[in-house]
Amino acid sequence: MTRDDWAQSLLDGGYIDERKAFTMSNIKAAPRGEFGMALLCVKGDELAIYDTDFHGRPGQFLYAIRLPEITDVKLSTFALHPTLKFTYHSFRWSFMAGFAKKMPIVEIFSAMV
């Protein structure tokens, strides 16, 4: 499946909007201690986080994060260590991998830096 096919599948399923902002990433820090692969999807003004398998299929819904309430965004698209960190409701979230330049989800978080 190509990235475009994947995006269309997520769009058809209602996980993302027409911006097609999503990625798979490793959770490094989450409030309930989850870790491992997750699917991050942006729809409207919300970032939804789902458990996922290595094929990127949405699994159990984990979190809904309102983008306007995120602060202190740090984003790195450095090839060997792409990371996203932000604060939401007093917790410092951390994700690693899945953030490459010119991806729609990167553009959304880049605008918040």
Side-chain angles (χ1 to χ4, degrees):
M1 176 183 315
T2 67
R3 183 163 180 83
D4 287 338
D5 293 339
W6 188 16
Q8 190 61 50
S9 174
L10 292 172
L11 183 62
D12 292 346
Y15 294 98
I16 59 176
D17 59 27
E18 64 282 345
R19 294 175 290 179
K20 298 182 179 177
F22 70 96
T23 195
M24 268 183 31
S25 186
N26 287 309
I27 299 174
K28 293 302 192 180
R32 296 187 301 258
E34 293 89 351
F35 63 92
M37 296 300 293
L39 179 65
L40 284 62
C41 297
V42 175
K43 184 175 178 184
D45 69 349
E46 192 170 88
L47 170 67
I49 302 171
Y50 298 88
D51 193 12
T52 190
D53 60 17
F54 286 99
H55 297 286
R57 291 183 288 244
Q60 178 185 0
F61 174 77
L62 299 174
Y63 296 98
I65 297 172
R66 290 195 24 80
L67 293 173
E69 297 175 21
I70 289 175
T71 60
D72 195 25
V73 175
K74 303 287 184 216
L75 176 67
S76 167
T77 57
F78 183 66
L80 299 177
H81 193 52
T83 57
L84 171 65
K85 296 179 182 182
F86 58 82
T87 301
Y88 180 73
H89 289 197
S90 302
F91 186 84
R92 188 74 177 156
W93 295 74
S94 180
F95 301 90
M96 187 174 114
F99 307 102
K101 291 180 182 177
K102 299 190 180 186
M103 291 175 60
I105 197 162
V106 169
E107 292 175 6
I108 288 170
F109 282 100
S110 291
M112 301 170 76
V113 174

